Amino acid sequence: MVKAVLLFHYKAQQGNLVVEMVLWRLPMRSADKPHGIKYRLHLGRNGESLVRYDNEAGKGDHRHIGKDEIEESYLFSATENLLVDFRMECGRFGWRWDK
């Protein structure tokens, strides 16, 4: 059986903030992943999630914002746009990408 291929994995820490981004190319597209990409992008502080973009099985593309984890749909258009959107959200919580 063909498995997903890891495309990208990044993990870093700045003070008490931790970012982790993981993207895989799937062997087949599906109804909830028509773009063929599985991803998990996360920013947390002290073990608490601040921003998370993911597309877990059955839920499709969505994001969680804030410690209350408000969940909303996310319109996936391209991997590059996903990363730009996530990086922008992280900046709102104090993450600096220029380090």
Side-chain angles (χ1 to χ4, degrees):
M1 173 178 241
V2 178
K3 297 189 179 210
V5 174
L6 180 65
L7 296 175
F8 180 74
H9 183 218
Y10 172 84
K11 187 172 184 178
Q13 185 168 349
Q14 292 178 12
N16 60 0
L17 291 172
V18 175
V19 159
E20 185 170 20
M21 301 184 287
V22 187
L23 292 98
W24 298 268
R25 175 161 314 284
L26 300 173
M28 294 176 48
R29 296 171 187 238
S30 64
D32 62 345
K33 295 175 187 67
H35 39 68
I37 302 292
K38 178 170 174 52
Y39 58 89
R40 182 183 73 244
L41 312 175
H42 178 262
L43 171 71
R45 176 183 291 132
N46 299 327
E48 187 174 273
S49 182
L50 299 174
V51 178
R52 188 171 78 245
Y53 284 57
D54 63 58
N55 59 351
E56 64 188 279
K59 285 193 156 188
D61 302 302
H62 64 282
R63 66 185 183 168
H64 307 259
I65 304 293
K67 64 182 180 180
D68 297 328
E69 293 216 21
I70 297 167
E71 185 175 320
E72 53 192 31
S73 292
Y74 175 75
L75 180 59
F76 183 102
S77 58
T79 302
E80 295 80 14
N81 294 344
L82 171 70
L83 294 174
V84 166
D85 292 344
F86 176 70
R87 289 170 58 116
M88 185 180 66
E89 290 287 347
C90 290
R92 293 181 181 159
F93 287 95
W95 185 267
R96 298 289 167 241
W97 292 100
D98 55 345
K99 288 192 171 202

